[in-house]
Amino acid sequence: MKNYDVVIIGGGVIGCCVAYNLSKMGLKNVLVIEKDYLSSGSTGRCGGGIRQQWGTEANCRLAMESVKIFEQLEEELGEDIEWHQGGYLLLAFTEEEEEQFKKNVALQQRVGVPVRLVTSQEAKEIVPALNVEGVRVASYCPTDGHANPSKVTIAYAKNAKKNGVDFLIGREVVDGIVDDEGGNKVVRGVVLDNGEKIYADKVLNAAGAFSREVGMMFGVEIPTTSYRHQILVTEPLERFFDPLIISFYHHVYFRQEKAGGVVMGYGDPKELPSTKVNSTFDFAKTMAHQILDLMPVLRDVRVVRQWAGSYNMSPDAQPILGTVDGVEGYYQAVGFSGHGFMLAPAVGRAMAEMMLGKDTFVDVSYLSVNRFKGGVDTSEVAVV
Amino acid sequence: MRFVCRCEEVTEEEIVRLAKEGYSLEEIKRMTRMGMGLCQGRTCLRIAARIIAGIQGKDLSEIKLPTSRQPVVPVELGKLNEAFVKSKDE
Ligand SMILES: Cc1cc2nc3c(=O)[nH]c(=O)nc-3n(C[C@H](O)[C@H](O)[C@H](O)COP(=O)(O)OP(=O)(O)OC[C@H]3O[C@@H](n4cnc5c(N)ncnc54)[C@H](O)[C@@H]3O)c2cc1C
């Protein structure tokens, strides 16, 4: 029988980052359980983009803290994570988008994000290969960037291991061990797919696309739903643009990775909820059509691989973090709604602080599940 | 020095080192880009699986190979777009 202070369910970027931060703060009796392999979930399938251009003040602050951590992460972890601070260029094609961009940029500047509105001409100067026809305005933040999500995850895990954290890979959590103490639930541990029980004082649900299923094991209802998102990469090219580019109008984002390939994703608005991660030819065709409108020079460039992953969506497209009333010892960091990689460094630190009973270094209390009690209000609009 | 993955120039030594540290084939692929180049791991993934199995004392059948994904051969974005336009015309 094993006894841990903390058991983390999920070896994605969130689980590994929380484990690392716990160990850094001195808690070593920690176990991460991953059913497949490290970064096998959404993390290893992710676009790798890291931006601070968000629509609410709190989200901007959280993202800014994450960028600060990313800026020195290679040094801190002693590993290459392919960090590239090439900025983010967001394109507005409609009048509504233009209005929204103006509002967002004003808010972002007030919070201290070094972002600015640029004309289509300036956008063309930043990325000469871009077709800016129809672009009304763009917003550009040079300190946004991208990195390799698998490498970040494995680097966190490696450092956590060095600090004494245990990892159990290839085992699935199939149930929670929960006691009923006078109407109050108290978490005692988890049951594995081989029947083994592992006891813990605290359990973190960091199960990504399966957050809802894992929540149910502890009697917790989580209002998250998973959707497939498809993505592809081209053959390598010499670097010819730096920023990650988003067009909400095209439902498209794309960037050039360190190895030279152009990684691009299309968020199909017709996608139905599911945890499937298969790839379709329809996606490849639509993606090609959209990208060639934005970057016609890619016409003769070959696609080498396509894949898919899950967005674990919450009702307001913001993560759900923290404790749950009436279930002692249970914590969750779920519902990242397609931007959990970029938030991981800040969220990982804040969750570790919370689990150790400390004040968090940045406010995340607004992301508690309790916010949905009175219905959904401040929806984050800037999601592809 | 022997390259296992020629597209991405990943050496046998590197795979051996990571396998000794306990990483799986999928993890090594993501750490080194092995099998992620133009040929999409057609030959190297099997060779790597054998190396990893040997070092980790596993049977070859226990080493899970990455899902082979579309496209089977690299295809131009322009060609995909033509297929898109055609499917809309139909
Ligand atoms: C195509 C695509 C593009 C994206 N682009 C971006 C981007 O540019 N920027 C960004 O910030 N985010 C992006 N995201 C979102 C990002 O990938 C996720 O928000 C983030 O990876 C979530 O991390 P996680 O650790 O919570 O989840 P995951 O990485 O999914 O990790 C959860 C892990 O838990 C394991 N697990 C689940 N259930 C169990 C169980 N019962 N027992 C044991 N293990 C279990 C799973 O196997 C999985 O490995 C993208 C996502 C996709 C799919």
Side-chain angles (χ1 to χ4, degrees), chain A residues 10 12-14 34-35 41-43 46-47 49 173 206 253 309 338-342:
Chain A
V13 69
I14 298 296
E34 165 54 50
K35 67 176 173 184
S42 304
T43 301
C46 141
V173 171
Y253 61 90
H339 45 280
F341 171 62
M342 63 181 80

Side-chain angles (χ1 to χ4, degrees), chain A residues 117-138:
Chain A
L117 283 173
V118 297
T119 62
S120 62
Q121 203 42 52
E122 285 170 288
K124 180 103 187 147
E125 279 158 28
I126 296 166
V127 182
L130 195 65
N131 170 21
V132 294
E133 204 186 308
V135 172
R136 298 175 70 101
V137 73

Side-chain angles (χ1 to χ4, degrees), chain A residues 9-16 33-51 88 149 171-174 206-211 214 217 227-231 244 253 255 265 307-312 333-343:
Chain A
I9 306 169
V13 69
I14 298 296
C16 292
I33 306 173
E34 165 54 50
K35 67 176 173 184
D36 201 350
Y37 55 91
L38 294 176
S39 84
S40 59
S42 304
T43 301
R45 301 157 184 278
C46 141
I50 298 158
R51 67 166 145 139
Y88 252 66
R171 278 270 160 270
E172 185 171 350
V173 171
V174 295
F210 301 95
S211 62
V214 168
M217 297 175 192
Y227 291 85
R228 178 182 61 185
H229 270 255
Q230 300 196 59
I231 181 165
L244 190 151
Y253 61 90
R255 68 165 169 113
W307 67 95
S310 288
Y311 276 20
N312 190 231
V334 300
F336 284 92
S337 305
H339 45 280
F341 171 62
M342 63 181 80
L343 297 179

